[in-house]
Amino acid sequence: MLESSVEFKEISLYGKRLFLTNDQCTLQEFPENIAVVKQEGLNSRKIKPTDTIVSVDGVKIGNGNLVIAAGPCAVESEDQTLEIAETVKKLGADMLRGGAFKPRTTPYSFQGLGKSGIKILKQAKEITNLPVVTELMDISDYEAFNDVDMIQIGSRNAQNFSLLKFLGSRNQPVLFKNGMANTITEWLSSAEYLLSGGNEKIVLCYRGTRGFDNATRFTMDSGTIPVLRERTHLPICADPSHPAGNRNYVEAIALASVAAGADMLEVEVHNDPDSALSDSKQQLTFEEFEKLVRNARKIAEMVHPKMRIEG
Amino acid sequence: MLESSVEFKEISLYGKRLFLTNDQCTLQEFPENIAVVKQEGLNSRKIKPTDTIVSVDGVKIGNGNLVIAAGPCAVESEDQTLEIAETVKKLGADMLRGGAFKPRTTPYSFQGLGKSGIKILKQAKEITNLPVVTELMDISDYEAFNDVDMIQIGSRNAQNFSLLKFLGSRNQPVLFKNGMANTITEWLSSAEYLLSGGNEKIVLCYRGTRGFDNATRFTMDSGTIPVLRERTHLPICADPSHPAGNRNYVEAIALASVAAGADMLEVEVHNDPDSALSDSKQQLTFEEFEKLVRNARKIAEMVHPKMRIEG
Amino acid sequence: MLESSVEFKEISLYGKRLFLTNDQCTLQEFPENIAVVKQEGLNSRKIKPTDTIVSVDGVKIGNGNLVIAAGPCAVESEDQTLEIAETVKKLGADMLRGGAFKPRTTPYSFQGLGKSGIKILKQAKEITNLPVVTELMDISDYEAFNDVDMIQIGSRNAQNFSLLKFLGSRNQPVLFKNGMANTITEWLSSAEYLLSGGNEKIVLCYRGTRGFDNATRFTMDSGTIPVLRERTHLPICADPSHPAGNRNYVEAIALASVAAGADMLEVEVHNDPDSALSDSKQQLTFEEFEKLVRNARKIAEMVHPKMRIEG
Amino acid sequence: MLESSVEFKEISLYGKRLFLTNDQCTLQEFPENIAVVKQEGLNSRKIKPTDTIVSVDGVKIGNGNLVIAAGPCAVESEDQTLEIAETVKKLGADMLRGGAFKPRTTPYSFQGLGKSGIKILKQAKEITNLPVVTELMDISDYEAFNDVDMIQIGSRNAQNFSLLKFLGSRNQPVLFKNGMANTITEWLSSAEYLLSGGNEKIVLCYRGTRGFDNATRFTMDSGTIPVLRERTHLPICADPSHPAGNRNYVEAIALASVAAGADMLEVEVHNDPDSALSDSKQQLTFEEFEKLVRNARKIAEMVHPKMRIEG
């Protein structure tokens, strides 16, 4: 335990001891030269130049291979989820996504199966061995997420700082989406709530921002990915399904994201999209997903070696 | 207790018994003709044509008089808060605003005094008799807000549906801000989480949306207020401080909001803005606030009788 | 004629001789201390601290009185235009607006009467004495605009720099609208094309920007007006009709604009809005216009003395 | 020559005679079943299901091969332009871009060499055989563009309908950029001004839209390309340089655009970017361009066969 006249918090991150302080202070006041410069933050490449690799139950995100998480928008039933999980695994998915607690625009839409949805996802994992990523909306629901492989923070909670602080204190992988009106700077500042708590297993997931043209659901700026790559060492995922809002556009947006340098894709796939209880227009059929995987992996192979800034 | 083959939830709202259902059903299946049409929602003027008046410890919002809530961005100390509270009361404020739990863009900024901030606000109320409005960020902090006069939901939590559902089940006045990238339709759909829980004391607070010009902090669309007035019976507040981001522009935005029909203003005022721990650029001095109150009340007197759609 | 080693252009503006140069130079190289600092531009209050007043055939814009231009979106016929002109005059309008050359989103919409539309406007002026403001879309149409009282540059031509340069060389009043995606800085930079040609009769007309919510047609940021007032000496007009896109919202936006400090309003009024050949939803009836004028003038009287920064 | 009671205009487009009418009419009134449905427009795939191929002096755009136009933002001198033209040809460019008439945000920036710039571009073509694309800003400058291979319409003139109508009557290839606040529907409606005049040689060039994050200069929505592909038969170009605003991001955006299905790229390349008279930050060095070409062609080979909807 250090002693210092400056108030600080000690965390361990990426194998280093770090001392966070809000005070103006010189490095000499610390026994090690590692006080964090507030202006940059722990997310910055200036603080950590090498790419971070996040491991989710053995699946490595950010090591140059493209990781694909796939599954339904919402867990609707055991049968539906198991069928989708087994099929997307066969078609090349590395992880299973699925929503149990659903943030819906109106209270009159299907709100998800809640805890029993989480149970179904765990069953699917037992059968397929695919690590699971699923969304947590509120601290009060956390108990069910205690042993979930990766916790998703959705766009609507991207500046729910209480929730972020809470997850910062857990050492569980987080897939952290951007808020739909957040600048890149604001998004990285929000990630700082996770990192400064000592949680280093953060993957940023870009899902587009609010735009003025309703031809698609959200605007998927391909410039965002190289900007993130330049500024931060954290791995980058892209969600092509929500910005598309229409399955006809999902593959093009997915391939664009991989070509721009994404390490991971999170794609909505359903065994019967037209009957889905949510996001029915944008979930892919198995056939569409198969083609997406094939093409995305080809582009990834070509692009990844050159897009990565070596550590 | 009703019996029905259709699943429903009974709430009491605006003096009526209401039966909410997600199922397709005809009105005959209900013993009273009051099942809610989902497409409109409880916020709609089609459901309730008359203006709603929300009473906050005796201060009536939406009855044709302009209500002004004023106070510091953040509660910083007892002295600061009491001085501001007493002065804004003298200058014509009807309510006291002040943040104890602060949603800050980065974890390295001042995060608010928390529970002790709430205590200071209650002291200020005892002395000034001004009802207090203050922001709640997370369900887990609610205990301290149990007897707060009005709970503010900020822009970053505007789609934190867990928090909204929770407050829907309390019968406490809520000042509900729009999310910075939400359409009016989305905002009203979020308000539905509060109303459908049976909480009828909802005031909408418009604080601008994200725009592309950083000449101001947010874009304060003067068309939003007449659209809200047409669509919903809920009272409308405007926050001119956050969209301005600069005290030079606050009065003009406040007067524009009142001229467009706002029932209430929430304004940041500080005894020493340049030394404030947050939002120092946009908090008004007492002199600036005095002028704003005088002019806003003149416009309100002129505009309000004609802007209101009679119930 | 001056001699100088620096390349410059001499113009006369607001009663002063000015020497514009793009070169880096010290003031000593000029015989008078009036070379323009490029970073600010001729539109800036730092260059000219006093409010500019633009006179349009005797109607003074920017002198503290609210000027109201009203008329149809498009000149459709002699009868329609004369009826509208005479009525809006009676109801308190100071100028007549009306489009003869119409920038329509598709080529299959009514494109305006062109030259014969201009003739009708001139007839209307002879009868009513209202100065006319009408839109010019292209240099090649200018001949018909030679003796028009005020030339409008629309949002779609706000960065048509060839057209702006051309009008900079004419000494005719210009009502200059903002481009729908232009920042305030870009808009003022475009105004510089007019001013640097020596045309000092420029009125800025704010008509809102593109936003993400289609509840209204454009976003009318009430913060834009105080920002303009702070930065520039040019008079400010507001067009509430286009951002509203719906006659129900026009008055509220108009009053908000005046409360925020606008010197002038340009409002679409039609004798039979529902049958109008363009913008039928947003043109006011005579009754609606009468109410708007009455209320706008009351607010203007109250607000204007205090909003103006004295020169 | 046809006779009809309906007013119409006859044009020849894609080898068909077409009769355009604004009137409501049944097909029987025409001697051939080819009256245009206004709601769709000539740009629509419903009118012409097969992909359009535009030939620019022998270079075919839209036939499945990726066409790359490269060159400086502005023609600055003969030496600069020739060096760049020869080098980009060697590195794989198919066309030369370069601005002679420059739309600059302020009148105090370099405005381009004008006619003499066009002459330099023609010299460069004589030497390299690369067809030239260069921007026309105003009808009054057209004479110099009479024999230019391809005329560019820039973002600021995307709704300059007078200019579009004029070019609709010429049979010259047009590279038509989107307006920075235009929806896809508005952009295609503007293209209709070109097509309905009988000019069928239109290539749409997507250059991003105005967004709220200044981390890049414009927002390059990767969803725009598949939406265009679905709606229109016209070939699609992408300009990665302007949305990037920074050479570090140009390649990622270019690759994303090709992966999303673009037929063509227009890229700014300079022999000495840091000394360029305009857009110095976003112009690529020769080395950067070489890498971009190599990677873009690899992705194009892989993606194009599958992205194209066969006619």
Side-chain angles (χ1 to χ4, degrees):
Chain A
M1 184 47 196
L2 283 173
E3 281 191 37
S4 165
S5 61
V6 175
E7 221 180 310
F8 64 88
K9 176 185 168 188
E10 180 179 348
I11 63 171
S12 165
L13 209 72
Y14 306 118
K16 307 232 179 200
R17 293 169 74 196
L18 289 177
F19 302 89
L20 302 179
T21 173
N22 289 324
D23 297 306
Q24 300 269 357
C25 69
T26 59
L27 292 175
Q28 289 89 312
E29 298 179 70
F30 287 93
E32 305 186 26
N33 273 352
I34 44 181
V36 170
V37 182
K38 285 200 295 181
Q39 273 64 28
E40 287 300 329
L42 299 163
N43 67 77
S44 170
R45 265 200 197 278
K46 294 193 189 158
I47 297 294
K48 176 175 182 290
T50 59
D51 288 342
T52 289
I53 297 170
V54 171
S55 181
V56 179
D57 198 28
V59 172
K60 293 198 182 316
I61 303 165
N63 71 348
N65 293 312
L66 179 67
V67 171
I68 299 177
C73 173
V75 173
E76 298 169 7
S77 73
E78 197 180 307
D79 284 359
Q80 169 244 24
T81 304
L82 295 185
E83 183 189 342
I84 295 173
E86 292 180 293
T87 312
V88 298
K89 179 173 189 179
K90 209 174 57 194
L91 301 177
D94 307 292
M95 290 178 62
L96 176 65
R97 67 141 286 147
F101 293 81
K102 298 295 302 171
R104 301 306 303 280
T105 305
T106 102
Y108 309 127
S109 300
F110 174 58
Q111 303 281 308
L113 298 182
K115 283 182 195 178
S116 57
I118 302 283
K119 271 188 207 152
I120 294 173
L121 287 169
K122 286 177 187 169
Q123 273 182 274
K125 190 194 170 182
E126 266 178 45
I127 294 169
T128 60
N129 258 327
L130 293 178
V132 160
V133 56
T134 190
E135 180 166 353
L136 170 64
M137 288 169 64
D138 196 76
I139 299 171
S140 61
D141 299 322
Y142 179 71
E143 207 187 323
F145 289 74
N146 198 39
D147 54 353
V148 154
D149 300 304
M150 187 176 214
I151 292 177
Q152 179 170 307
I153 298 299
S155 187
R156 287 158 190 81
N157 282 309
Q159 291 190 307
N160 181 339
F161 301 126
S162 302
L163 182 57
L164 296 177
K165 265 186 199 171
F166 175 84
L167 289 177
S169 68
R170 298 284 171 287
N171 202 16
Q172 218 168 343
V174 175
L175 188 66
F176 181 42
K177 298 202 171 182
N178 64 300
M180 65 182 86
N182 287 153
T183 61
I184 293 172
T185 300
E186 289 170 336
W187 187 14
L188 293 176
S189 292
S190 297
E192 211 62 18
Y193 277 94
L194 296 161
L195 292 165
S196 67
N199 188 341
E200 63 190 27
K201 301 174 179 169
I202 312 304
V203 177
L204 299 170
C205 181
Y206 181 55
R207 46 82 75 211
T209 55
R210 179 68 81 179
F212 58 78
D213 192 346
N214 60 15
T216 54
R217 199 165 163 201
F218 295 101
T219 297
M220 193 71 171
D221 178 27
S222 55
T224 292
I225 293 175
V227 173
L228 286 173
R229 184 67 76 212
E230 187 179 74
R231 290 200 193 166
T232 182
H233 53 81
L234 296 171
I236 302 163
C237 176
D239 163 1
S241 302
H242 286 86
N246 179 322
R247 74 181 61 104
N248 294 349
Y249 312 140
V250 172
E251 184 183 340
I253 297 175
L255 300 189
S257 302
V258 175
D263 302 293
M264 175 178 174
L265 290 173
E266 189 193 30
V267 185
E268 290 188 352
V269 180
H270 198 278
N271 54 341
D272 181 7
D274 292 331
S275 312
L277 296 180
S278 56
D279 285 356
S280 71
K281 283 189 191 158
Q282 81 201 22
Q283 301 198 55
L284 295 187
T285 63
F286 293 138
E287 291 68 27
E288 291 163 335
F289 178 63
E290 185 174 21
K291 189 154 87 71
L292 181 154
V293 172
R294 197 171 55 233
N295 288 319
R297 294 218 183 276
K298 276 197 232 165
I299 293 182
E301 242 168 78
M302 209 194 78
V303 172
H304 273 250
K306 104 192 117 23
M307 300 297 298
R308 303 310 295 274
I309 298 165
E310 306 301 335
Chain B
M1 182 53 192
L2 284 172
E3 279 191 39
S4 163
S5 62
V6 174
E7 219 180 311
F8 65 88
K9 176 184 166 190
E10 180 179 348
I11 61 169
S12 167
L13 208 71
Y14 305 118
K16 309 232 176 197
R17 291 169 76 197
L18 289 177
F19 303 90
L20 302 179
T21 173
N22 290 324
D23 295 307
Q24 301 268 356
C25 68
T26 59
L27 292 176
Q28 290 88 311
E29 297 179 73
F30 286 94
E32 307 187 25
N33 273 352
I34 44 181
V36 170
V37 182
K38 282 200 295 180
Q39 273 65 27
E40 288 300 331
L42 299 163
N43 67 77
S44 171
R45 266 201 196 277
K46 295 194 188 157
I47 296 295
K48 176 175 183 291
T50 58
D51 288 341
T52 289
I53 296 170
V54 172
S55 181
V56 179
D57 198 28
V59 173
K60 294 200 183 314
I61 303 166
N63 71 348
N65 293 312
L66 179 67
V67 171
I68 299 177
C73 172
V75 173
E76 299 169 6
S77 73
E78 198 181 304
D79 284 357
Q80 170 244 21
T81 305
L82 295 186
E83 182 188 343
I84 296 174
E86 292 181 292
T87 312
V88 297
K89 180 171 188 181
K90 209 174 57 194
L91 300 177
D94 307 292
M95 289 178 63
L96 176 65
R97 68 141 285 147
F101 293 81
K102 298 296 303 171
R104 303 306 302 280
T105 306
T106 103
Y108 309 128
S109 300
F110 174 57
Q111 303 280 310
L113 297 182
K115 284 182 196 179
S116 55
I118 302 284
K119 269 189 208 153
I120 293 173
L121 287 168
K122 286 178 187 168
Q123 273 182 271
K125 190 194 169 181
E126 266 178 47
I127 294 170
T128 60
N129 258 326
L130 294 177
V132 161
V133 56
T134 190
E135 180 165 354
L136 171 64
M137 289 171 62
D138 196 74
I139 299 172
S140 60
D141 300 321
Y142 178 72
E143 208 187 322
F145 290 74
N146 198 41
D147 53 354
V148 154
D149 301 303
M150 186 175 215
I151 291 177
Q152 179 170 307
I153 298 299
S155 187
R156 287 158 190 82
N157 282 310
Q159 291 190 308
N160 181 339
F161 301 126
S162 303
L163 182 57
L164 297 177
K165 264 187 201 171
F166 175 84
L167 288 177
S169 69
R170 296 288 172 285
N171 202 15
Q172 217 168 345
V174 175
L175 187 67
F176 181 40
K177 298 202 169 181
N178 65 300
M180 65 182 87
N182 287 153
T183 61
I184 292 172
T185 299
E186 288 170 338
W187 185 14
L188 293 176
S189 293
S190 297
E192 211 62 17
Y193 276 94
L194 295 161
L195 292 165
S196 68
N199 187 342
E200 62 191 27
K201 300 175 180 168
I202 313 303
V203 177
L204 299 170
C205 180
Y206 180 55
R207 46 82 75 210
T209 56
R210 180 67 83 179
F212 59 78
D213 193 346
N214 59 15
T216 54
R217 199 165 163 199
F218 294 101
T219 297
M220 193 72 172
D221 178 26
S222 56
T224 293
I225 292 174
V227 173
L228 286 172
R229 182 69 73 212
E230 186 178 75
R231 291 200 194 167
T232 184
H233 53 80
L234 296 172
I236 303 163
C237 176
D239 163 1
S241 303
H242 286 86
N246 179 323
R247 74 180 63 104
N248 293 348
Y249 312 141
V250 172
E251 183 182 340
I253 297 175
L255 300 189
S257 302
V258 175
D263 301 294
M264 175 178 173
L265 290 174
E266 189 194 30
V267 185
E268 289 188 354
V269 180
H270 199 280
N271 54 341
D272 181 8
D274 292 332
S275 312
L277 295 179
S278 57
D279 285 357
S280 69
K281 282 189 193 159
Q282 79 201 24
Q283 301 197 56
L284 295 187
T285 61
F286 293 137
E287 290 68 29
E288 290 163 337
F289 178 62
E290 184 173 21
K291 189 153 88 73
L292 182 154
V293 172
R294 197 172 53 234
N295 289 320
R297 293 221 183 274
K298 277 196 232 166
I299 293 182
E301 242 168 80
M302 209 193 77
V303 171
H304 274 249
K306 105 191 117 23
M307 299 297 298
R308 305 308 296 273
I309 297 165
E310 305 301 336
Chain C
M1 183 54 194
L2 284 171
E3 281 191 37
S4 165
S5 61
V6 174
E7 220 181 311
F8 65 87
K9 177 183 166 189
E10 181 180 347
I11 61 171
S12 167
L13 209 71
Y14 305 119
K16 309 231 177 198
R17 293 169 76 197
L18 289 177
F19 303 90
L20 302 179
T21 174
N22 289 324
D23 295 306
Q24 300 269 355
C25 68
T26 58
L27 292 176
Q28 289 89 313
E29 297 179 71
F30 287 93
E32 305 187 26
N33 274 351
I34 44 182
V36 170
V37 182
K38 284 200 295 181
Q39 274 63 29
E40 288 300 331
L42 299 164
N43 68 78
S44 170
R45 265 201 197 277
K46 293 192 189 160
I47 297 294
K48 176 173 183 291
T50 59
D51 288 342
T52 289
I53 296 170
V54 171
S55 181
V56 179
D57 197 26
V59 173
K60 294 198 181 316
I61 304 165
N63 72 348
N65 293 313
L66 180 67
V67 170
I68 300 177
C73 173
V75 173
E76 299 169 7
S77 73
E78 198 181 305
D79 284 358
Q80 169 243 22
T81 305
L82 296 186
E83 182 188 343
I84 296 173
E86 292 180 293
T87 311
V88 297
K89 182 176 185 175
K90 207 174 56 193
L91 300 177
D94 306 293
M95 291 178 61
L96 176 65
R97 67 141 285 145
F101 293 82
K102 298 294 304 170
R104 302 305 304 279
T105 305
T106 102
Y108 308 128
S109 300
F110 173 59
Q111 304 281 308
L113 298 182
K115 283 182 197 179
S116 56
I118 302 283
K119 270 189 210 153
I120 293 174
L121 287 169
K122 286 177 188 168
Q123 274 182 270
K125 189 192 170 183
E126 266 179 46
I127 294 170
T128 60
N129 257 327
L130 294 178
V132 161
V133 55
T134 190
E135 179 164 354
L136 170 64
M137 288 169 64
D138 196 74
I139 299 172
S140 61
D141 299 323
Y142 179 71
E143 208 186 321
F145 289 73
N146 199 40
D147 54 353
V148 153
D149 300 304
M150 187 176 213
I151 292 178
Q152 180 169 307
I153 297 300
S155 186
R156 288 158 189 81
N157 282 310
Q159 292 190 306
N160 182 338
F161 301 126
S162 302
L163 182 56
L164 296 177
K165 266 187 200 170
F166 175 84
L167 289 177
S169 68
R170 298 286 172 287
N171 202 16
Q172 216 169 344
V174 175
L175 188 66
F176 181 41
K177 298 203 171 182
N178 65 301
M180 66 181 86
N182 286 154
T183 61
I184 292 172
T185 300
E186 288 170 337
W187 186 14
L188 292 176
S189 292
S190 297
E192 211 60 18
Y193 277 94
L194 295 161
L195 292 166
S196 67
N199 187 341
E200 61 190 29
K201 301 176 179 167
I202 312 305
V203 176
L204 300 170
C205 181
Y206 181 55
R207 46 80 78 211
T209 56
R210 179 68 83 179
F212 58 78
D213 192 346
N214 60 14
T216 54
R217 199 165 164 201
F218 294 101
T219 297
M220 193 71 172
D221 178 26
S222 56
T224 293
I225 292 175
V227 172
L228 286 173
R229 182 68 75 212
E230 187 178 74
R231 291 199 194 167
T232 183
H233 53 81
L234 296 171
I236 303 162
C237 176
D239 163 1
S241 302
H242 286 86
N246 179 321
R247 75 180 60 103
N248 294 348
Y249 311 141
V250 172
E251 182 183 341
I253 297 174
L255 300 189
S257 301
V258 175
D263 301 294
M264 175 179 173
L265 291 174
E266 189 193 30
V267 185
E268 289 189 353
V269 180
H270 198 280
N271 54 341
D272 181 8
D274 292 332
S275 312
L277 295 180
S278 58
D279 284 357
S280 69
K281 281 189 191 158
Q282 79 201 23
Q283 301 198 55
L284 296 187
T285 63
F286 293 138
E287 290 68 28
E288 289 163 337
F289 178 62
E290 184 173 22
K291 189 153 87 73
L292 181 153
V293 172
R294 196 171 54 233
N295 288 319
R297 294 220 183 275
K298 274 196 233 164
I299 294 182
E301 239 167 82
M302 208 192 79
V303 172
H304 273 249
K306 105 191 115 20
M307 300 296 298
R308 306 308 295 276
I309 296 166
E310 306 301 335
Chain D
M1 180 57 193
L2 283 171
E3 281 192 37
S4 166
S5 60
V6 173
E7 218 181 313
F8 65 87
K9 176 183 166 188
E10 181 179 348
I11 61 171
S12 166
L13 208 72
Y14 306 119
K16 308 230 178 199
R17 293 169 75 197
L18 289 176
F19 302 90
L20 302 180
T21 173
N22 290 324
D23 295 307
Q24 300 270 355
C25 67
T26 59
L27 292 176
Q28 290 89 310
E29 298 179 73
F30 287 93
E32 307 187 26
N33 272 351
I34 44 180
V36 170
V37 181
K38 283 200 295 180
Q39 275 64 29
E40 288 300 332
L42 299 163
N43 67 78
S44 171
R45 263 200 197 279
K46 294 192 188 158
I47 297 295
K48 176 174 184 290
T50 59
D51 288 340
T52 289
I53 297 170
V54 171
S55 182
V56 179
D57 197 26
V59 173
K60 293 197 182 315
I61 303 166
N63 72 348
N65 293 313
L66 179 67
V67 170
I68 299 177
C73 172
V75 173
E76 298 168 8
S77 73
E78 199 182 303
D79 284 359
Q80 170 244 24
T81 305
L82 296 186
E83 183 189 342
I84 295 173
E86 293 180 293
T87 311
V88 297
K89 183 178 184 172
K90 208 175 56 193
L91 300 177
D94 307 293
M95 290 178 62
L96 176 65
R97 67 142 284 148
F101 293 80
K102 299 294 303 170
R104 303 305 303 280
T105 305
T106 102
Y108 309 127
S109 300
F110 173 59
Q111 303 280 311
L113 298 182
K115 284 181 196 180
S116 57
I118 302 283
K119 269 189 209 155
I120 294 174
L121 288 168
K122 287 177 188 169
Q123 273 182 272
K125 189 192 171 184
E126 266 178 46
I127 294 170
T128 60
N129 259 325
L130 294 177
V132 161
V133 55
T134 190
E135 180 164 353
L136 171 63
M137 288 170 64
D138 196 75
I139 300 172
S140 60
D141 299 321
Y142 179 71
E143 208 186 322
F145 290 74
N146 199 39
D147 54 353
V148 153
D149 300 303
M150 186 174 215
I151 291 177
Q152 179 169 308
I153 298 299
S155 187
R156 287 158 190 81
N157 282 310
Q159 292 191 308
N160 181 339
F161 301 127
S162 302
L163 182 58
L164 297 176
K165 265 187 197 168
F166 175 85
L167 289 178
S169 69
R170 298 286 170 288
N171 202 15
Q172 216 168 344
V174 175
L175 188 66
F176 181 41
K177 297 203 170 181
N178 64 299
M180 66 182 85
N182 287 153
T183 62
I184 292 172
T185 299
E186 287 170 337
W187 185 14
L188 293 175
S189 292
S190 297
E192 212 62 17
Y193 276 93
L194 295 161
L195 293 165
S196 67
N199 187 341
E200 64 191 26
K201 300 174 179 169
I202 313 303
V203 177
L204 299 169
C205 181
Y206 180 55
R207 46 82 75 211
T209 55
R210 178 68 81 178
F212 59 77
D213 193 346
N214 60 14
T216 55
R217 200 165 162 200
F218 295 102
T219 297
M220 193 72 173
D221 178 26
S222 56
T224 293
I225 292 174
V227 172
L228 286 173
R229 183 68 75 213
E230 187 178 74
R231 292 200 193 165
T232 183
H233 52 81
L234 296 172
I236 302 163
C237 176
D239 162 2
S241 302
H242 286 87
N246 178 322
R247 77 180 59 103
N248 293 349
Y249 312 141
V250 171
E251 183 182 341
I253 297 174
L255 300 188
S257 302
V258 175
D263 301 294
M264 175 178 174
L265 291 174
E266 188 193 32
V267 185
E268 290 188 352
V269 180
H270 197 280
N271 53 342
D272 181 9
D274 292 331
S275 312
L277 295 180
S278 57
D279 284 358
S280 70
K281 283 189 191 159
Q282 80 201 22
Q283 301 198 56
L284 296 187
T285 63
F286 293 138
E287 291 68 28
E288 289 163 337
F289 178 63
E290 184 173 22
K291 190 154 86 71
L292 181 154
V293 172
R294 197 171 55 235
N295 288 320
R297 295 222 182 273
K298 276 196 233 166
I299 293 182
E301 244 168 78
M302 209 193 77
V303 172
H304 273 250
K306 105 192 115 25
M307 299 297 298
R308 305 308 295 273
I309 297 163
E310 306 301 336

